[in-house]
Amino acid sequence: MDALGIYSLTFNCARNLVDVDHFAQHFFDALPASGAGSSAPDMIFLSLQEIAPIAYSFLGGAYLQPYFDAFRRAVSKAAARRWDHHYENFLSDNTGMTGLMLFARSDTLEHIAWKDTAHVGLGVSEMGNKGAVGARLGYVVEGNTSKTVDLTFVAAHLAAMEDSFEQRNMDWKSIVERLVFTHCPGVQPESEVSEHTGLLNDAASAHSDHSRRDLFAPNAYLFVAGDLNYRTSNTGPSLKETVHFPRRSAGLDDPSHYTHLLKNDQLMREMRSGRSFHGLTEAPIDFPPTYKYSDAAREAARQGLDTDQEWKWSSHRWPSWCDRILYLDTPSWVGEGGKVQTFAYDALPLFTQSDHRPVALVASVPLRPSGENHTRPDLRAVAPFSIDPNWQARRDMARRKEIVVGAAAYLGLTWEGNRLLFVLVGGIFGAWFLLRSTE
């Protein structure tokens, strides 16, 4: 094997459990029917936004397991439908409502030498109602643990609303500044690095180029996927403007064909202007907007009519390509043999539990050891923003707030929490009554 096949998928779950059977049926729809990129991927990367209600997401742990388990079952069923392969979920993590899952084919798993995670909240008071979670790993090549292809995966959910493109740019800046990895090659993590792991000492961090802790480590491939929330207008649509929404039946020259709306995409504009997602690349978009579909569209999907009916958009949001997958190519001096290869980039069908369509990217990275052929300085050696020296303290503070908010939401907004609160209040009242009766 001279390349590592990666299937990346991003999905805004709208705080609902995924429909396992329906999701499994369409999970690999983006794979080419034949030829390059059609075989079983070596790794699967899932970026999940609004994975669960805020109470479960902020508390994390066992509260999130049913939601992660649903995707594990979906991937297992999807793989069984197409191939005789099993995928092991070797990493699942979250920052608040944003989740990341990594799967490896059973014959690939043994090549993963180490893994690390990182977290940043982008929501209210830097909590995780919006945020990013990252994973970095070393994939062993040539049977030598000192020779790895290093890969970084980031699941992200940025600020919403049409007029918030500048805040989305700031969210990207915060990701670069505060999504910090702590693994140093040659220093084996205790088990799985948590978001509370402190900085490694300076000597260890300077061990080698591999120890770069920021997002733009010079020897690591980078994939960023999520609900990036960039829209196709800076203002919401008026009632008159809804007539210009994309139509399924529109021809390429028709103003209602989705390609005309794509010209107004904020993310492409901000990237071209060097204001966001510096240095990243996106495969050509050849699919309609992935957001925002109406309740009527979701009902049509439930009835299996989505492929036959006109697109049904919500009238108060511009149809937009909110759900994206970007990647960082290797520098030009490495040559074409070192670049990420993409084979497909497409949207999956609309699922009933969300107003977003999932988006998937089929790609591969060459299995050339990190650091190979470094004959001149790496063009990625300088990140667009420096690491925030207070990143750990800021994340720890935000995490404490998440626990408080999560507990309050659990007691106030969930049935099980309501029952627990009723029992607690009843117990306190009962104890007070008994004390009064003994006076």
Side-chain angles (χ1 to χ4, degrees):
M1 181 171 62
D2 58 359
L4 189 72
I6 300 173
Y7 190 79
S8 302
L9 186 144
T10 179
F11 182 43
N12 186 311
C13 309
R15 292 164 287 179
N16 294 314
L17 275 167
V18 68
D19 183 330
V20 172
D21 291 332
H22 193 193
F23 201 72
Q25 180 182 355
H26 295 284
F27 185 80
F28 287 116
D29 277 8
L31 283 174
S34 60
S38 62
S39 58
D42 300 290
M43 294 184 62
I44 297 171
F45 161 41
L46 294 188
S47 170
L48 307 170
Q49 310 85 48
E50 297 189 29
I51 185 173
I54 193 168
Y56 305 142
S57 297
F58 275 21
L59 291 175
Y63 295 99
L64 269 183
Q65 284 311 305
Y67 297 88
F68 281 133
D69 285 343
F71 282 100
R72 293 183 185 109
R73 296 197 304 274
V75 170
S76 179
K77 286 190 174 186
R81 287 170 59 93
R82 297 186 63 128
W83 311 286
D84 186 23
H85 288 300
H86 172 70
Y87 285 88
E88 183 74 25
N89 173 217
F90 66 91
L91 190 152
S92 295
D93 206 347
N94 72 293
T95 297
M97 302 175 76
T98 303
L100 179 151
M101 302 182 77
L102 288 175
F103 298 78
R105 215 171 55 201
S106 53
D107 57 334
T108 300
L109 187 63
E110 63 185 15
H111 294 279
I112 299 172
W114 55 266
K115 58 184 184 290
D116 192 5
T117 55
H119 311 78
V120 59
L122 304 172
V124 178
S125 295
E126 299 184 357
M127 290 188 290
N129 52 307
K130 295 289 192 293
V133 52
R136 179 168 289 167
L137 59 91
Y139 186 90
V140 174
V141 295
E142 301 177 8
N144 186 339
T145 56
S146 66
K147 294 184 176 182
T148 61
V149 171
D150 298 348
L151 303 126
T152 304
F153 300 95
V154 176
H157 192 186
L158 308 189
M161 310 302 286
E162 278 87 352
D163 61 354
S164 297
F165 62 92
E166 291 180 331
Q167 180 58 53
R168 289 186 275 277
N169 294 348
M170 291 300 297
D171 287 345
W172 164 245
K173 183 174 184 289
S174 295
I175 289 173
V176 177
E177 290 177 335
R178 293 189 278 122
L179 195 72
V180 181
F181 296 92
T182 58
H183 172 73
C184 179
V187 180
Q188 184 66 28
E190 292 181 6
S191 56
E192 184 167 319
V193 179
S194 75
E195 67 180 12
H196 303 296
T197 303
L199 285 169
L200 297 177
N201 60 57
D202 292 340
S205 298
H207 178 71
S208 71
D209 282 346
H210 291 70
S211 65
R212 275 278 297 278
R213 299 170 301 177
D214 61 63
L215 200 61
F216 285 80
N219 300 309
Y221 290 96
L222 170 63
F223 292 86
V224 179
D227 181 0
L228 305 186
N229 251 326
Y230 285 90
R231 309 302 174 88
T232 53
S233 174
N234 293 347
T235 59
S238 66
L239 187 59
K240 291 181 179 180
E241 288 174 316
T242 60
V243 299
H244 301 300
F245 283 6
R247 292 187 293 108
R248 185 193 296 272
S249 59
L252 190 59
D253 296 329
D254 191 315
S256 294
H257 193 273
Y258 68 81
T259 53
H260 298 284
L261 188 61
L262 185 60
K263 298 173 185 176
N264 301 325
D265 179 67
Q266 291 175 341
L267 179 56
M268 293 182 178
R269 180 191 72 201
E270 298 303 297
M271 289 176 67
R272 282 195 302 266
S273 300
R275 292 189 289 261
S276 194
F277 290 93
H278 306 75
L280 271 65
T281 301
E282 183 177 23
I285 292 177
D286 191 21
F287 51 86
T290 59
Y291 173 87
K292 174 179 172 65
Y293 289 87
S294 66
D295 291 342
R298 293 159 68 178
E299 177 60 23
R302 189 186 69 78
Q303 298 179 21
L305 302 175
D306 183 57
T307 57
D308 301 320
Q309 296 195 358
E310 185 57 74
W311 293 320
K312 296 180 174 64
W313 308 104
S314 290
S315 60
H316 64 293
R317 294 283 178 262
W318 276 101
S320 299
W321 288 263
C322 290
D323 310 277
R324 313 287 274 268
I325 303 175
L326 311 177
Y327 59 92
L328 189 65
D329 251 341
T330 53
S332 59
W333 61 265
V334 174
E336 291 299 321
K339 287 185 173 294
V340 172
Q341 284 191 296
T342 60
F343 305 104
Y345 187 39
D346 204 357
L348 274 59
L350 179 67
F351 297 144
T352 57
Q353 71 267 29
S354 179
D355 49 11
H356 291 251
R357 288 174 64 179
V359 170
L361 173 71
V362 184
S364 71
V365 298
L367 288 178
R368 297 173 59 180
S370 297
E372 187 175 290
N373 295 333
H374 277 204
T375 57
R376 61 176 180 166
D378 196 312
L379 299 180
R380 293 184 300 175
V382 179
F385 310 105
S386 299
I387 290 177
D388 181 347
N390 298 314
W391 69 270
Q392 184 72 72
R394 294 174 69 172
R395 180 57 198 152
D396 288 345
M397 176 62 73
R399 182 63 188 134
R400 287 191 286 270
K401 295 176 184 176
E402 288 173 0
I403 294 296
V404 172
V405 173
Y410 180 78
L411 292 173
L413 301 177
T414 69
W415 286 109
E416 60 268 37
N418 291 164
R419 289 194 295 270
L420 177 59
L421 185 60
F422 178 79
V423 170
L424 289 173
V425 172
I428 292 171
F429 179 78
W432 174 82
F433 181 79
L434 288 174
L435 287 173
R436 287 292 303 270
S437 66
T438 59
E439 291 180 356

